[in-house]
PDB file of all heavy atoms in Angstrom:
ATOM      1  N   ARG A   1     134.051  49.091  20.111  1.00 93.00           N
ATOM      2  CA  ARG A   1     132.912  48.388  19.490  1.00 93.00           C
ATOM      3  C   ARG A   1     131.727  48.622  20.435  1.00 93.00           C
ATOM      4  O   ARG A   1     131.771  49.068  21.549  1.00 93.00           O
ATOM      5  CB  ARG A   1     133.304  46.926  19.405  1.00 93.00           C
ATOM      6  CG  ARG A   1     133.434  46.285  20.692  1.00 93.00           C
ATOM      7  CD  ARG A   1     134.073  44.849  20.583  1.00 93.00           C
ATOM      8  NE  ARG A   1     134.501  44.320  21.828  1.00 93.00           N
ATOM      9  CZ  ARG A   1     133.722  43.516  22.628  1.00 93.00           C
ATOM     10  NH1 ARG A   1     132.417  43.317  22.353  1.00 93.00           N
ATOM     11  NH2 ARG A   1     134.164  43.067  23.774  1.00 93.00           N
ATOM     12  N   THR A   2     130.606  48.462  19.785  1.00 91.00           N
ATOM     13  CA  THR A   2     129.365  48.413  20.631  1.00 91.00           C
ATOM     14  C   THR A   2     129.385  47.239  21.611  1.00 91.00           C
ATOM     15  O   THR A   2     129.711  46.125  21.147  1.00 91.00           O
ATOM     16  CB  THR A   2     128.106  48.310  19.694  1.00 91.00           C
ATOM     17  OG1 THR A   2     128.025  49.449  18.876  1.00 91.00           O
ATOM     18  CG2 THR A   2     126.839  48.254  20.523  1.00 91.00           C
ATOM     19  N   LYS A   3     129.098  47.489  22.859  1.00 89.00           N
ATOM     20  CA  LYS A   3     129.173  46.476  23.820  1.00 89.00           C
ATOM     21  C   LYS A   3     128.116  46.589  24.852  1.00 89.00           C
ATOM     22  O   LYS A   3     127.859  47.692  25.419  1.00 89.00           O
ATOM     23  CB  LYS A   3     130.538  46.594  24.524  1.00 89.00           C
ATOM     24  CG  LYS A   3     130.811  45.470  25.548  1.00 89.00           C
ATOM     25  CD  LYS A   3     132.243  45.624  26.167  1.00 89.00           C
ATOM     26  CE  LYS A   3     132.551  44.524  27.210  1.00 89.00           C
ATOM     27  NZ  LYS A   3     133.867  44.754  27.826  1.00 89.00           N
ATOM     28  N   LYS A   4     127.374  45.512  25.103  1.00 85.00           N
ATOM     29  CA  LYS A   4     126.306  45.467  26.086  1.00 85.00           C
ATOM     30  C   LYS A   4     125.340  46.568  25.816  1.00 85.00           C
ATOM     31  O   LYS A   4     124.876  47.228  26.783  1.00 85.00           O
ATOM     32  CB  LYS A   4     126.951  45.475  27.485  1.00 85.00           C
ATOM     33  CG  LYS A   4     127.731  44.245  27.864  1.00 85.00           C
ATOM     34  CD  LYS A   4     128.282  44.383  29.296  1.00 85.00           C
ATOM     35  CE  LYS A   4     129.098  43.178  29.633  1.00 85.00           C
ATOM     36  NZ  LYS A   4     129.676  43.175  30.977  1.00 85.00           N
ATOM     37  N   GLY A   5     124.947  46.809  24.599  1.00 85.00           N
ATOM     38  CA  GLY A   5     123.993  47.822  24.241  1.00 85.00           C
ATOM     39  C   GLY A   5     124.483  49.227  24.254  1.00 85.00           C
ATOM     40  O   GLY A   5     123.647  50.136  23.914  1.00 85.00           O
ATOM     41  N   SER A   6     125.719  49.431  24.564  1.00 90.00           N
ATOM     42  CA  SER A   6     126.229  50.801  24.571  1.00 90.00           C
ATOM     43  C   SER A   6     127.110  51.030  23.312  1.00 90.00           C
ATOM     44  O   SER A   6     127.965  50.230  22.969  1.00 90.00           O
ATOM     45  CB  SER A   6     127.239  51.031  25.719  1.00 90.00           C
ATOM     46  OG  SER A   6     126.511  50.920  26.942  1.00 90.00           O
ATOM     47  N   ASN A   7     126.831  52.108  22.490  1.00 92.00           N
ATOM     48  CA  ASN A   7     127.533  52.397  21.365  1.00 92.00           C
ATOM     49  C   ASN A   7     128.877  53.025  21.717  1.00 92.00           C
ATOM     50  O   ASN A   7     129.076  53.444  22.891  1.00 92.00           O
ATOM     51  CB  ASN A   7     126.695  53.247  20.358  1.00 92.00           C
ATOM     52  CG  ASN A   7     126.412  54.623  20.976  1.00 92.00           C
ATOM     53  OD1 ASN A   7     127.147  55.228  21.675  1.00 92.00           O
ATOM     54  ND2 ASN A   7     125.147  55.056  20.717  1.00 92.00           N
ATOM     55  N   PRO A   8     129.824  53.210  20.764  1.00 93.00           N
ATOM     56  CA  PRO A   8     131.161  53.749  21.105  1.00 93.00           C
ATOM     57  C   PRO A   8     131.039  55.119  21.799  1.00 93.00           C
ATOM     58  O   PRO A   8     131.798  55.356  22.707  1.00 93.00           O
ATOM     59  CB  PRO A   8     131.776  53.878  19.682  1.00 93.00           C
ATOM     60  CG  PRO A   8     131.122  52.759  18.897  1.00 93.00           C
ATOM     61  CD  PRO A   8     129.751  52.759  19.345  1.00 93.00           C
ATOM     62  N   LYS A   9     130.163  56.034  21.330  1.00 93.00           N
ATOM     63  CA  LYS A   9     130.016  57.312  22.081  1.00 93.00           C
ATOM     64  C   LYS A   9     129.672  57.184  23.474  1.00 93.00           C
ATOM     65  O   LYS A   9     130.237  57.842  24.438  1.00 93.00           O
ATOM     66  CB  LYS A   9     129.108  58.176  21.287  1.00 93.00           C
ATOM     67  CG  LYS A   9     129.031  59.617  21.873  1.00 93.00           C
ATOM     68  CD  LYS A   9     128.034  60.504  21.039  1.00 93.00           C
ATOM     69  CE  LYS A   9     127.913  61.928  21.603  1.00 93.00           C
ATOM     70  NZ  LYS A   9     127.076  62.824  20.856  1.00 93.00           N
ATOM     71  N   GLN A  10     128.720  56.340  23.771  1.00 93.00           N
ATOM     72  CA  GLN A  10     128.244  56.082  25.155  1.00 93.00           C
ATOM     73  C   GLN A  10     129.402  55.431  25.977  1.00 93.00           C
ATOM     74  O   GLN A  10     129.546  55.737  27.116  1.00 93.00           O
ATOM     75  CB  GLN A  10     127.019  55.181  25.146  1.00 93.00           C
ATOM     76  CG  GLN A  10     125.783  55.823  24.623  1.00 93.00           C
ATOM     77  CD  GLN A  10     124.650  54.854  24.371  1.00 93.00           C
ATOM     78  OE1 GLN A  10     124.851  53.719  24.021  1.00 93.00           O
ATOM     79  NE2 GLN A  10     123.433  55.323  24.512  1.00 93.00           N
ATOM     80  N   ARG A  11     130.176  54.585  25.257  1.00 94.00           N
ATOM     81  CA  ARG A  11     131.235  53.944  26.004  1.00 94.00           C
ATOM     82  C   ARG A  11     132.363  54.980  26.469  1.00 94.00           C
ATOM     83  O   ARG A  11     132.972  54.819  27.495  1.00 94.00           O
ATOM     84  CB  ARG A  11     131.870  52.840  25.179  1.00 94.00           C
ATOM     85  CG  ARG A  11     130.948  51.595  25.030  1.00 94.00           C
ATOM     86  CD  ARG A  11     131.598  50.407  24.445  1.00 94.00           C
ATOM     87  NE  ARG A  11     132.666  49.914  25.253  1.00 94.00           N
ATOM     88  CZ  ARG A  11     133.584  49.037  24.898  1.00 94.00           C
ATOM     89  NH1 ARG A  11     133.623  48.684  23.644  1.00 94.00           N
ATOM     90  NH2 ARG A  11     134.529  48.701  25.729  1.00 94.00           N
ATOM     91  N   VAL A  12     132.648  55.891  25.625  1.00 93.00           N
ATOM     92  CA  VAL A  12     133.511  56.961  25.897  1.00 93.00           C
ATOM     93  C   VAL A  12     133.097  57.753  27.179  1.00 93.00           C
ATOM     94  O   VAL A  12     133.845  58.087  28.070  1.00 93.00           O
ATOM     95  CB  VAL A  12     133.784  57.955  24.693  1.00 93.00           C
ATOM     96  CG1 VAL A  12     134.581  59.252  25.186  1.00 93.00           C
ATOM     97  CG2 VAL A  12     134.580  57.266  23.625  1.00 93.00           C
ATOM     98  N   GLU A  13     131.790  58.055  27.181  1.00 94.00           N
ATOM     99  CA  GLU A  13     131.231  58.708  28.368  1.00 94.00           C
ATOM    100  C   GLU A  13     131.326  57.833  29.540  1.00 94.00           C
ATOM    101  O   GLU A  13     131.614  58.399  30.652  1.00 94.00           O
ATOM    102  CB  GLU A  13     129.707  59.004  28.036  1.00 94.00           C
ATOM    103  CG  GLU A  13     129.528  60.080  26.977  1.00 94.00           C
ATOM    104  CD  GLU A  13     128.091  60.257  26.552  1.00 94.00           C
ATOM    105  OE1 GLU A  13     127.242  59.437  27.138  1.00 94.00           O
ATOM    106  OE2 GLU A  13     127.790  61.072  25.642  1.00 94.00           O
ATOM    107  N   THR A  14     131.124  56.547  29.457  1.00 93.00           N
ATOM    108  CA  THR A  14     131.352  55.666  30.616  1.00 93.00           C
ATOM    109  C   THR A  14     132.800  55.641  31.033  1.00 93.00           C
ATOM    110  O   THR A  14     133.037  55.676  32.309  1.00 93.00           O
ATOM    111  CB  THR A  14     130.891  54.232  30.253  1.00 93.00           C
ATOM    112  OG1 THR A  14     129.542  54.282  29.786  1.00 93.00           O
ATOM    113  CG2 THR A  14     130.994  53.317  31.443  1.00 93.00           C
ATOM    114  N   ILE A  15     133.734  55.605  30.129  1.00 94.00           N
ATOM    115  CA  ILE A  15     135.136  55.667  30.524  1.00 94.00           C
ATOM    116  C   ILE A  15     135.367  56.937  31.387  1.00 94.00           C
ATOM    117  O   ILE A  15     136.058  56.846  32.400  1.00 94.00           O
ATOM    118  CB  ILE A  15     136.002  55.574  29.278  1.00 94.00           C
ATOM    119  CG1 ILE A  15     135.934  54.238  28.604  1.00 94.00           C
ATOM    120  CG2 ILE A  15     137.493  55.918  29.619  1.00 94.00           C
ATOM    121  CD1 ILE A  15     136.635  54.157  27.259  1.00 94.00           C
ATOM    122  N   PHE A  16     134.986  57.994  30.840  1.00 94.00           N
ATOM    123  CA  PHE A  16     135.339  59.328  31.580  1.00 94.00           C
ATOM    124  C   PHE A  16     134.488  59.486  32.867  1.00 94.00           C
ATOM    125  O   PHE A  16     134.839  60.448  33.614  1.00 94.00           O
ATOM    126  CB  PHE A  16     135.136  60.410  30.645  1.00 94.00           C
ATOM    127  CG  PHE A  16     136.169  60.519  29.558  1.00 94.00           C
ATOM    128  CD1 PHE A  16     135.830  60.904  28.217  1.00 94.00           C
ATOM    129  CD2 PHE A  16     137.519  60.217  29.875  1.00 94.00           C
ATOM    130  CE1 PHE A  16     136.759  60.995  27.255  1.00 94.00           C
ATOM    131  CE2 PHE A  16     138.448  60.313  28.856  1.00 94.00           C
ATOM    132  CZ  PHE A  16     138.104  60.665  27.520  1.00 94.00           C
ATOM    133  N   SER A  17     133.517  58.662  33.111  1.00 94.00           N
ATOM    134  CA  SER A  17     132.731  58.780  34.330  1.00 94.00           C
ATOM    135  C   SER A  17     133.461  58.147  35.500  1.00 94.00           C
ATOM    136  O   SER A  17     133.188  58.326  36.708  1.00 94.00           O
ATOM    137  CB  SER A  17     131.375  58.164  34.249  1.00 94.00           C
ATOM    138  OG  SER A  17     131.517  56.616  34.080  1.00 94.00           O
ATOM    139  N   SER A  18     134.626  57.467  35.172  1.00 93.00           N
ATOM    140  CA  SER A  18     135.389  56.789  36.230  1.00 93.00           C
ATOM    141  C   SER A  18     136.096  57.777  37.141  1.00 93.00           C
ATOM    142  O   SER A  18     136.440  58.927  36.632  1.00 93.00           O
ATOM    143  CB  SER A  18     136.447  55.843  35.533  1.00 93.00           C
ATOM    144  OG  SER A  18     137.370  55.392  36.577  1.00 93.00           O
ATOM    145  N   VAL A  19     136.222  57.439  38.383  1.00 93.00           N
ATOM    146  CA  VAL A  19     136.940  58.307  39.362  1.00 93.00           C
ATOM    147  C   VAL A  19     138.411  58.559  38.908  1.00 93.00           C
ATOM    148  O   VAL A  19     139.019  59.479  39.349  1.00 93.00           O
ATOM    149  CB  VAL A  19     136.920  57.646  40.732  1.00 93.00           C
ATOM    150  CG1 VAL A  19     137.648  56.345  40.748  1.00 93.00           C
ATOM    151  CG2 VAL A  19     137.371  58.550  41.748  1.00 93.00           C
ATOM    152  N   LEU A  20     138.943  57.686  38.056  1.00 94.00           N
ATOM    153  CA  LEU A  20     140.307  57.841  37.542  1.00 94.00           C
ATOM    154  C   LEU A  20     140.486  59.192  36.922  1.00 94.00           C
ATOM    155  O   LEU A  20     141.560  59.727  36.966  1.00 94.00           O
ATOM    156  CB  LEU A  20     140.579  56.736  36.529  1.00 94.00           C
ATOM    157  CG  LEU A  20     141.956  56.765  35.815  1.00 94.00           C
ATOM    158  CD1 LEU A  20     143.120  56.516  36.762  1.00 94.00           C
ATOM    159  CD2 LEU A  20     141.945  55.903  34.662  1.00 94.00           C
ATOM    160  N   PHE A  21     139.442  59.709  36.275  1.00 95.00           N
ATOM    161  CA  PHE A  21     139.609  61.036  35.493  1.00 95.00           C
ATOM    162  C   PHE A  21     139.104  62.236  36.324  1.00 95.00           C
ATOM    163  O   PHE A  21     139.135  63.319  35.782  1.00 95.00           O
ATOM    164  CB  PHE A  21     138.787  60.925  34.243  1.00 95.00           C
ATOM    165  CG  PHE A  21     139.244  59.880  33.265  1.00 95.00           C
ATOM    166  CD1 PHE A  21     138.829  58.541  33.284  1.00 95.00           C
ATOM    167  CD2 PHE A  21     140.210  60.192  32.357  1.00 95.00           C
ATOM    168  CE1 PHE A  21     139.321  57.602  32.427  1.00 95.00           C
ATOM    169  CE2 PHE A  21     140.733  59.283  31.496  1.00 95.00           C
ATOM    170  CZ  PHE A  21     140.210  57.969  31.472  1.00 95.00           C
ATOM    171  N   ASP A  22     138.799  62.048  37.615  1.00 93.00           N
ATOM    172  CA  ASP A  22     138.361  63.193  38.368  1.00 93.00           C
ATOM    173  C   ASP A  22     139.442  64.294  38.517  1.00 93.00           C
ATOM    174  O   ASP A  22     139.147  65.499  38.397  1.00 93.00           O
ATOM    175  CB  ASP A  22     137.963  62.698  39.810  1.00 93.00           C
ATOM    176  CG  ASP A  22     136.569  62.017  39.692  1.00 93.00           C
ATOM    177  OD1 ASP A  22     135.962  62.010  38.633  1.00 93.00           O
ATOM    178  OD2 ASP A  22     136.206  61.492  40.762  1.00 93.00           O
ATOM    179  N   TYR A  23     140.653  63.919  38.790  1.00 94.00           N
ATOM    180  CA  TYR A  23     141.692  64.879  38.968  1.00 94.00           C
ATOM    181  C   TYR A  23     141.982  65.633  37.659  1.00 94.00           C
ATOM    182  O   TYR A  23     142.250  66.790  37.565  1.00 94.00           O
ATOM    183  CB  TYR A  23     143.005  64.244  39.526  1.00 94.00           C
ATOM    184  CG  TYR A  23     144.141  65.180  39.687  1.00 94.00           C
ATOM    185  CD1 TYR A  23     144.080  66.201  40.729  1.00 94.00           C
ATOM    186  CD2 TYR A  23     145.231  65.127  38.926  1.00 94.00           C
ATOM    187  CE1 TYR A  23     145.063  67.106  40.903  1.00 94.00           C
ATOM    188  CE2 TYR A  23     146.278  66.060  39.072  1.00 94.00           C
ATOM    189  CZ  TYR A  23     146.151  67.013  40.078  1.00 94.00           C
ATOM    190  OH  TYR A  23     147.227  67.925  40.254  1.00 94.00           O
ATOM    191  N   LEU A  24     141.945  64.842  36.574  1.00 94.00           N
ATOM    192  CA  LEU A  24     142.161  65.418  35.208  1.00 94.00           C
ATOM    193  C   LEU A  24     141.109  66.546  34.965  1.00 94.00           C
ATOM    194  O   LEU A  24     141.465  67.641  34.519  1.00 94.00           O
ATOM    195  CB  LEU A  24     142.037  64.368  34.168  1.00 94.00           C
ATOM    196  CG  LEU A  24     142.011  64.840  32.659  1.00 94.00           C
ATOM    197  CD1 LEU A  24     143.311  65.540  32.323  1.00 94.00           C
ATOM    198  CD2 LEU A  24     141.765  63.672  31.680  1.00 94.00           C
ATOM    199  N   LYS A  25     139.858  66.194  35.237  1.00 94.00           N
ATOM    200  CA  LYS A  25     138.710  67.200  34.998  1.00 94.00           C
ATOM    201  C   LYS A  25     138.991  68.467  35.884  1.00 94.00           C
ATOM    202  O   LYS A  25     138.759  69.622  35.508  1.00 94.00           O
ATOM    203  CB  LYS A  25     137.375  66.614  35.370  1.00 94.00           C
ATOM    204  CG  LYS A  25     137.027  65.392  34.432  1.00 94.00           C
ATOM    205  CD  LYS A  25     135.767  64.782  34.929  1.00 94.00           C
ATOM    206  CE  LYS A  25     135.508  63.478  34.203  1.00 94.00           C
ATOM    207  NZ  LYS A  25     134.335  62.677  34.767  1.00 94.00           N
ATOM    208  N   GLU A  26     139.446  68.227  37.167  1.00 93.00           N
ATOM    209  CA  GLU A  26     139.690  69.339  38.061  1.00 93.00           C
ATOM    210  C   GLU A  26     140.830  70.169  37.556  1.00 93.00           C
ATOM    211  O   GLU A  26     140.839  71.369  37.620  1.00 93.00           O
ATOM    212  CB  GLU A  26     139.966  68.748  39.421  1.00 93.00           C
ATOM    213  CG  GLU A  26     140.288  69.841  40.462  1.00 93.00           C
ATOM    214  CD  GLU A  26     140.757  69.209  41.848  1.00 93.00           C
ATOM    215  OE1 GLU A  26     140.188  68.085  42.116  1.00 93.00           O
ATOM    216  OE2 GLU A  26     141.577  69.764  42.512  1.00 93.00           O
ATOM    217  N   LEU A  27     141.932  69.539  37.052  1.00 92.00           N
ATOM    218  CA  LEU A  27     143.101  70.222  36.587  1.00 92.00           C
ATOM    219  C   LEU A  27     142.928  70.960  35.225  1.00 92.00           C
ATOM    220  O   LEU A  27     143.383  72.061  35.110  1.00 92.00           O
ATOM    221  CB  LEU A  27     144.246  69.271  36.551  1.00 92.00           C
ATOM    222  CG  LEU A  27     145.638  69.848  36.238  1.00 92.00           C
ATOM    223  CD1 LEU A  27     146.149  70.684  37.398  1.00 92.00           C
ATOM    224  CD2 LEU A  27     146.633  68.590  35.923  1.00 92.00           C
ATOM    225  N   ARG A  28     142.423  70.223  34.294  1.00 93.00           N
ATOM    226  CA  ARG A  28     142.291  70.788  32.905  1.00 93.00           C
ATOM    227  C   ARG A  28     140.944  71.153  32.488  1.00 93.00           C
ATOM    228  O   ARG A  28     140.809  71.862  31.433  1.00 93.00           O
ATOM    229  CB  ARG A  28     142.837  69.722  31.973  1.00 93.00           C
ATOM    230  CG  ARG A  28     144.207  69.202  32.184  1.00 93.00           C
ATOM    231  CD  ARG A  28     145.231  70.217  31.958  1.00 93.00           C
ATOM    232  NE  ARG A  28     146.599  69.704  32.065  1.00 93.00           N
ATOM    233  CZ  ARG A  28     147.691  70.441  32.230  1.00 93.00           C
ATOM    234  NH1 ARG A  28     147.532  71.769  32.106  1.00 93.00           N
ATOM    235  NH2 ARG A  28     148.924  69.882  32.370  1.00 93.00           N
ATOM    236  N   GLY A  29     139.871  70.858  33.353  1.00 92.00           N
ATOM    237  CA  GLY A  29     138.582  71.248  32.894  1.00 92.00           C
ATOM    238  C   GLY A  29     137.978  70.064  32.063  1.00 92.00           C
ATOM    239  O   GLY A  29     138.764  69.373  31.310  1.00 92.00           O
TER     240      GLY A  29
END
């Protein structure tokens, strides 16, 4: 859902900006 002014697409980008996904980006691109 839209939350705190961020639409769903922006929220996906925020999720993937987490350090949790750094190794995934390094491994799979």
Side-chain angles (χ1 to χ4, degrees):
R1 61 189 171 92
T2 297
K3 184 178 181 181
K4 295 180 179 178
S6 296
N7 61 40
K9 185 177 180 180
Q10 292 169 327
R11 291 190 65 195
V12 168
E13 294 171 358
T14 300
I15 289 170
F16 287 140
S17 67
S18 168
V19 66
L20 174 71
F21 294 91
D22 286 355
Y23 181 68
L24 170 65
K25 297 173 188 175
E26 178 185 329
L27 183 69
R28 303 293 183 192

